[in-house]
Amino acid sequence: MNNYFSHDSNARNSEKLIKVRMKYGAEGYGVYFMILERLREEHDYMSIKDYNVIAFDLHVDASEVKSIVEDFGLFVFTEDGKYFYSSKFKHKSHIKTRIRKRMYSINVRAWMKLRKQVFQRDDYTCRYCGKRGGLLEADHVIPFSKGGSDDISNLVTACRRCNRQKRDKSVAEFEDWLKEGER
């Protein structure tokens, strides 16, 4: 499925989308995500502000498209006002493109060697929970999705459990998240 994109599973409960649903019901919610699908197909994830064309494509009224694009703070306009885009969607798409490029260019042997160096440096001990041995992974202190690198200075040993829980949180965010769970 080449054109599939994921979305936050609780998107319907965002303040902005609740307002869309209050005014247009589930149809408005669907129109919003169909607009995102269209943006996904456009160059640089932006669409020309031609509501009649979009409405024709989505089989809805142009005034509904115009309202969803302009009235709920879901989209941003270019300085000249000719195009609109979703800043969050555009940002996520650029991160995914960056990660995809990294995955295609990664040298597996070099990564395995670097990983081993990290484990040895850290004495095969998880940086977060202190567990020694077991299933270990090299964790990015500054997550790759937030601009972190594969440099050894940005990598620490983490047990699989901690690394999967940390996901793309910073170390401080992860430690705060762990403390909240203890309450």
Side-chain angles (χ1 to χ4, degrees):
M1 298 186 93
N2 199 11
N3 289 326
Y4 173 79
F5 70 92
S6 63
H7 70 281
D8 298 332
S9 62
N10 62 348
R12 74 183 187 289
N13 294 318
S14 80
E15 187 177 318
K16 294 175 182 179
L17 286 176
I18 286 173
K19 290 177 182 176
V20 170
R21 290 175 41 226
M22 287 171 63
K23 184 167 183 177
Y24 295 106
E27 179 180 313
Y29 185 69
V31 168
Y32 168 72
F33 276 101
M34 287 191 290
I35 291 170
L36 288 182
E37 288 175 1
R38 285 179 52 90
L39 291 175
R40 169 82 166 57
E41 296 166 357
E42 295 289 339
H43 172 71
D44 208 21
Y45 309 107
M46 290 195 286
S47 176
I48 193 157
K49 194 173 83 174
D50 187 338
Y51 301 134
N52 290 320
V53 170
I54 297 169
F56 178 78
D57 181 39
L58 304 183
H59 300 283
V60 295
D61 190 79
S63 63
E64 183 175 353
V65 172
K66 181 180 191 288
S67 174
I68 290 170
V69 170
E70 294 183 2
D71 298 343
F72 298 95
L74 295 164
F75 299 98
V76 179
F77 293 89
T78 57
E79 285 185 28
D80 62 8
K82 292 181 181 179
Y83 297 88
F84 69 91
Y85 59 94
S86 163
S87 57
K88 184 176 181 181
F89 182 70
K90 190 173 182 179
H91 176 73
K92 282 184 174 185
S93 297
H94 283 301
I95 288 172
K96 286 184 179 184
T97 300
R98 184 173 168 238
I99 290 171
R100 197 174 302 115
K101 284 180 182 176
R102 174 181 170 241
M103 294 306 291
Y104 289 128
S105 67
I106 196 165
N107 179 329
V108 176
R109 283 191 181 151
W111 173 252
M112 296 306 280
K113 182 179 177 183
L114 182 61
R115 194 172 159 258
K116 185 177 179 182
Q117 290 173 342
V118 171
F119 295 163
Q120 288 173 339
R121 179 197 66 200
D122 297 342
D123 197 29
Y124 299 89
T125 303
C126 176
R127 182 324 189 165
Y128 305 110
C129 72
K131 179 181 174 188
R132 191 165 196 281
L135 292 173
L136 300 175
E137 299 177 353
D139 176 58
H140 292 83
V141 176
I142 299 171
F144 189 81
S145 64
K146 295 181 178 175
S149 71
D150 287 334
D151 187 80
I152 195 165
S153 64
N154 189 48
L155 297 171
V156 295
T157 301
C159 70
R160 176 167 283 175
R161 181 172 183 241
C162 285
N163 196 34
R164 300 298 160 92
Q165 289 177 334
K166 180 177 175 277
R167 300 181 63 182
D168 71 341
K169 298 175 188 78
S170 69
V171 174
E173 290 170 332
F174 181 56
E175 288 171 347
D176 289 345
W177 181 82
L178 286 174
K179 287 176 189 171
E180 287 175 15
E182 292 174 0
R183 294 178 194 160

